[in-house]
Short mmCIF file of all heavy atoms in Angstrom, two decimals:
data_model
loop_
_atom_site.label_atom_id
_atom_site.label_comp_id
_atom_site.label_asym_id
_atom_site.label_seq_id
_atom_site.Cartn_x
_atom_site.Cartn_y
_atom_site.Cartn_z
N SER A 181 5.43 -23.92 -9.24
CA SER A 181 5.21 -24.99 -10.18
C SER A 181 6.00 -24.71 -11.41
O SER A 181 6.69 -23.69 -11.51
CB SER A 181 3.74 -25.14 -10.52
OG SER A 181 3.21 -23.95 -11.09
N LYS A 182 5.95 -25.67 -12.38
CA LYS A 182 6.67 -25.50 -13.62
C LYS A 182 5.89 -24.60 -14.58
O LYS A 182 4.70 -24.71 -14.72
CB LYS A 182 6.94 -26.88 -14.24
CG LYS A 182 7.91 -27.72 -13.49
CD LYS A 182 7.99 -29.12 -14.08
CE LYS A 182 8.59 -29.07 -15.45
NZ LYS A 182 8.84 -30.40 -16.06
N ARG A 183 6.63 -23.73 -15.24
CA ARG A 183 6.05 -22.87 -16.28
C ARG A 183 7.05 -22.68 -17.40
O ARG A 183 8.17 -22.15 -17.19
CB ARG A 183 5.61 -21.49 -15.69
CG ARG A 183 4.88 -20.60 -16.70
CD ARG A 183 4.59 -19.24 -16.04
NE ARG A 183 3.87 -18.40 -16.98
CZ ARG A 183 2.56 -18.26 -16.99
NH1 ARG A 183 1.78 -18.97 -16.13
NH2 ARG A 183 1.93 -17.44 -17.82
N GLY A 184 6.67 -23.13 -18.57
CA GLY A 184 7.63 -23.05 -19.70
C GLY A 184 8.86 -23.89 -19.49
O GLY A 184 9.93 -23.56 -19.95
N GLY A 185 8.71 -25.03 -18.81
CA GLY A 185 9.89 -25.92 -18.54
C GLY A 185 10.76 -25.42 -17.43
O GLY A 185 11.82 -26.11 -17.17
N LYS A 186 10.42 -24.34 -16.73
CA LYS A 186 11.25 -23.84 -15.66
C LYS A 186 10.38 -23.80 -14.37
O LYS A 186 9.18 -23.63 -14.41
CB LYS A 186 11.76 -22.43 -15.95
CG LYS A 186 12.59 -22.37 -17.23
CD LYS A 186 13.01 -20.97 -17.52
CE LYS A 186 13.87 -20.89 -18.76
NZ LYS A 186 14.28 -19.49 -19.10
N LEU A 187 11.10 -23.96 -13.26
CA LEU A 187 10.41 -23.89 -11.96
C LEU A 187 10.24 -22.39 -11.59
O LEU A 187 11.18 -21.62 -11.58
CB LEU A 187 11.21 -24.61 -10.89
CG LEU A 187 10.50 -24.83 -9.54
CD1 LEU A 187 9.30 -25.74 -9.72
CD2 LEU A 187 11.45 -25.38 -8.49
N CYS A 188 8.98 -22.00 -11.29
CA CYS A 188 8.67 -20.57 -11.13
C CYS A 188 7.79 -20.41 -9.90
O CYS A 188 7.07 -21.33 -9.53
CB CYS A 188 7.96 -20.01 -12.34
SG CYS A 188 8.85 -20.08 -13.87
N LEU A 189 7.92 -19.23 -9.30
CA LEU A 189 7.02 -18.80 -8.26
C LEU A 189 6.05 -17.86 -8.86
O LEU A 189 6.40 -16.86 -9.46
CB LEU A 189 7.80 -18.11 -7.13
CG LEU A 189 6.99 -17.69 -5.88
CD1 LEU A 189 7.80 -17.89 -4.62
CD2 LEU A 189 6.56 -16.22 -6.00
N LEU A 190 4.74 -18.15 -8.73
CA LEU A 190 3.67 -17.44 -9.43
C LEU A 190 2.75 -16.73 -8.46
O LEU A 190 2.43 -17.24 -7.39
CB LEU A 190 2.88 -18.41 -10.33
CG LEU A 190 3.64 -19.15 -11.44
CD1 LEU A 190 4.02 -20.48 -10.96
CD2 LEU A 190 2.81 -19.19 -12.74
N ILE A 191 2.33 -15.54 -8.85
CA ILE A 191 1.38 -14.75 -8.08
C ILE A 191 0.38 -14.14 -9.08
O ILE A 191 0.74 -13.73 -10.17
CB ILE A 191 2.08 -13.62 -7.27
CG1 ILE A 191 3.07 -14.20 -6.28
CG2 ILE A 191 1.09 -12.74 -6.63
CD1 ILE A 191 3.89 -13.20 -5.58
N ARG A 192 -0.86 -14.11 -8.66
CA ARG A 192 -1.90 -13.53 -9.52
C ARG A 192 -2.31 -12.14 -8.96
O ARG A 192 -2.46 -11.99 -7.74
CB ARG A 192 -3.09 -14.45 -9.55
CG ARG A 192 -4.26 -13.99 -10.41
CD ARG A 192 -5.30 -15.09 -10.60
NE ARG A 192 -4.90 -16.00 -11.66
CZ ARG A 192 -5.57 -17.14 -11.91
NH1 ARG A 192 -6.60 -17.46 -11.19
NH2 ARG A 192 -5.16 -17.92 -12.87
N VAL A 193 -2.49 -11.21 -9.87
CA VAL A 193 -2.87 -9.88 -9.54
C VAL A 193 -3.99 -9.38 -10.45
O VAL A 193 -3.98 -9.78 -11.63
CB VAL A 193 -1.63 -8.88 -9.55
CG1 VAL A 193 -1.02 -8.90 -10.94
CG2 VAL A 193 -2.08 -7.50 -9.14
N ALA A 194 -4.92 -8.65 -9.97
CA ALA A 194 -6.13 -8.21 -10.76
C ALA A 194 -6.45 -6.79 -10.48
O ALA A 194 -6.27 -6.26 -9.36
CB ALA A 194 -7.28 -9.11 -10.45
N ASN A 195 -6.97 -6.11 -11.47
CA ASN A 195 -7.44 -4.76 -11.39
C ASN A 195 -8.94 -4.83 -11.39
O ASN A 195 -9.56 -5.26 -12.39
CB ASN A 195 -6.92 -3.95 -12.59
CG ASN A 195 -7.40 -2.46 -12.52
OD1 ASN A 195 -7.96 -2.03 -11.50
ND2 ASN A 195 -7.14 -1.76 -13.62
N LEU A 196 -9.59 -4.40 -10.31
CA LEU A 196 -11.05 -4.53 -10.20
C LEU A 196 -11.82 -3.46 -10.94
O LEU A 196 -13.03 -3.56 -11.13
CB LEU A 196 -11.46 -4.48 -8.72
CG LEU A 196 -10.85 -5.57 -7.83
CD1 LEU A 196 -11.35 -5.44 -6.37
CD2 LEU A 196 -11.11 -6.97 -8.38
N ARG A 197 -11.13 -2.43 -11.45
CA ARG A 197 -11.74 -1.39 -12.20
C ARG A 197 -11.39 -1.55 -13.72
O ARG A 197 -10.33 -2.12 -14.06
CB ARG A 197 -11.31 0.02 -11.77
CG ARG A 197 -11.82 0.40 -10.38
CD ARG A 197 -11.48 1.81 -10.11
NE ARG A 197 -12.04 2.25 -8.81
CZ ARG A 197 -13.22 2.76 -8.65
NH1 ARG A 197 -14.04 2.90 -9.67
NH2 ARG A 197 -13.64 3.11 -7.46
N LYS A 198 -12.19 -1.03 -14.59
CA LYS A 198 -11.94 -1.12 -16.00
C LYS A 198 -10.94 -0.02 -16.40
O LYS A 198 -10.31 -0.18 -17.51
CB LYS A 198 -13.25 -0.98 -16.79
CG LYS A 198 -14.20 -2.13 -16.61
CD LYS A 198 -15.42 -1.97 -17.57
CE LYS A 198 -16.33 -3.19 -17.42
NZ LYS A 198 -17.52 -3.09 -18.26
N SER A 199 -10.78 1.00 -15.65
CA SER A 199 -9.79 2.01 -15.95
C SER A 199 -8.40 1.45 -15.73
O SER A 199 -8.15 0.74 -14.75
CB SER A 199 -9.96 3.30 -15.12
OG SER A 199 -9.93 2.98 -13.71
N LEU A 200 -7.47 1.73 -16.61
CA LEU A 200 -6.15 1.10 -16.57
C LEU A 200 -5.22 1.82 -15.61
O LEU A 200 -5.43 3.00 -15.25
CB LEU A 200 -5.53 1.08 -17.97
CG LEU A 200 -6.29 0.28 -19.02
CD1 LEU A 200 -5.55 0.42 -20.35
CD2 LEU A 200 -6.47 -1.17 -18.64
N LEU A 201 -4.16 1.13 -15.22
CA LEU A 201 -2.99 1.76 -14.60
C LEU A 201 -1.93 1.86 -15.68
O LEU A 201 -1.46 0.87 -16.23
CB LEU A 201 -2.48 0.88 -13.44
CG LEU A 201 -3.31 0.90 -12.14
CD1 LEU A 201 -2.63 0.01 -11.12
CD2 LEU A 201 -3.38 2.33 -11.59
N ILE A 202 -1.53 3.12 -15.97
CA ILE A 202 -0.61 3.40 -17.02
C ILE A 202 0.86 3.18 -16.55
O ILE A 202 1.20 3.62 -15.46
CB ILE A 202 -0.81 4.82 -17.57
CG1 ILE A 202 -2.32 5.00 -18.01
CG2 ILE A 202 0.11 5.09 -18.77
CD1 ILE A 202 -2.60 6.42 -18.40
N GLY A 203 1.64 2.58 -17.41
CA GLY A 203 3.07 2.40 -17.06
C GLY A 203 3.27 1.55 -15.85
O GLY A 203 4.18 1.84 -15.05
N SER A 204 2.52 0.50 -15.69
CA SER A 204 2.63 -0.38 -14.48
C SER A 204 3.99 -1.09 -14.51
O SER A 204 4.42 -1.55 -15.55
CB SER A 204 1.45 -1.33 -14.44
OG SER A 204 0.26 -0.67 -14.42
N HIS A 205 4.54 -1.24 -13.31
CA HIS A 205 5.81 -1.94 -13.12
C HIS A 205 5.65 -2.74 -11.86
O HIS A 205 5.24 -2.25 -10.84
CB HIS A 205 6.93 -0.91 -13.02
CG HIS A 205 8.24 -1.59 -12.64
ND1 HIS A 205 8.90 -2.47 -13.46
CD2 HIS A 205 9.00 -1.45 -11.56
CE1 HIS A 205 10.02 -2.86 -12.89
NE2 HIS A 205 10.11 -2.28 -11.72
N ILE A 206 6.11 -3.99 -11.92
CA ILE A 206 5.97 -4.91 -10.80
C ILE A 206 7.34 -5.49 -10.41
O ILE A 206 8.15 -5.81 -11.26
CB ILE A 206 4.94 -5.99 -11.08
CG1 ILE A 206 4.50 -6.72 -9.79
CG2 ILE A 206 5.42 -7.00 -12.14
CD1 ILE A 206 3.24 -7.46 -9.92
N TYR A 207 7.59 -5.58 -9.12
CA TYR A 207 8.89 -6.10 -8.65
C TYR A 207 8.64 -6.63 -7.18
O TYR A 207 7.58 -6.46 -6.63
CB TYR A 207 9.93 -5.05 -8.69
CG TYR A 207 9.64 -3.78 -7.88
CD1 TYR A 207 10.09 -3.65 -6.59
CD2 TYR A 207 8.88 -2.80 -8.48
CE1 TYR A 207 9.82 -2.50 -5.92
CE2 TYR A 207 8.58 -1.64 -7.75
CZ TYR A 207 9.04 -1.48 -6.52
OH TYR A 207 8.73 -0.36 -5.76
#
Side-chain angles (χ1 to χ4, degrees):
S181 60
K182 292 176 64 176
R183 185 184 182 93
K186 300 178 181 179
L187 192 64
C188 300
L189 184 142
L190 301 96
I191 297 173
R192 180 170 279 175
V193 58
N195 181 11
L196 301 181
R197 290 187 179 272
K198 292 185 178 180
S199 59
L200 299 178
L201 285 180
I202 304 172
S204 300
H205 173 65
I206 195 160
Y207 57 97

